[in-house]
Amino acid sequence: MITGAHVIVYSRDAEADRAFFRDVLEYPNVDAGGGWLIFKLPPAEVAVHPADGAERHELYLMCDDVAATIEKLTARGVSCAPVRDEGWGLLTSITLPGGGELGLYQPRHPKATEL
């Protein structure tokens, strides 16, 4: 049966974004050949939301303390958006070196990763 998931982040500067995942987020990785790094992600969950028009997919990282996480990321030179209280969690975003963004939030909802 299914044993995992593979997430793809498209980037205008893949090398810089790979270095970000490796050096800033410190995610363990394997080299799939030629410096093509594939990163181990923390436990994950998937949610299915209704779409108004074209379907899209998004990647959000979760943390236990968004303020502390932002502090650590900022110390490493990472730009984070202001935190918004969305009710279901505290939400910000991280700007990747390649220009893309990743969501980052401290959930207030039950987490499937704890099942």
Side-chain angles (χ1 to χ4, degrees):
M1 195 60 180
I2 296 170
T3 61
H6 184 90
V7 175
I8 299 172
V9 174
Y10 289 95
S11 173
R12 291 186 184 102
D13 189 345
E15 287 299 319
D17 287 348
R18 287 182 192 128
F20 176 84
F21 276 86
R22 182 190 64 221
D23 302 334
V24 176
L25 298 182
E26 298 179 333
Y27 285 176
N29 61 81
V30 296
D31 188 327
W36 197 281
L37 303 180
I38 298 176
F39 298 91
K40 178 182 178 186
L41 292 176
E45 55 188 34
V46 63
V48 180
H49 292 236
D52 296 329
E55 290 90 10
R56 66 184 194 281
H57 308 289
E58 300 176 8
L59 174 61
Y60 287 83
L61 303 176
M62 295 188 302
C63 62
D64 292 329
D65 182 336
V66 74
T69 302
I70 289 171
E71 185 177 322
K72 287 180 183 176
L73 291 171
T74 301
R76 295 178 180 183
V78 179
S79 175
C80 298
V83 175
R84 297 189 327 256
D85 186 336
E86 297 291 337
W88 46 262
L90 300 174
L91 177 66
T92 187
S93 62
I94 298 169
T95 302
L96 296 173
E101 288 189 353
L102 293 179
L104 171 67
Y105 78 104
Q106 176 184 330
R108 290 184 176 145
H109 59 75
K111 295 185 285 184
T113 57
E114 295 177 348
L115 295 177

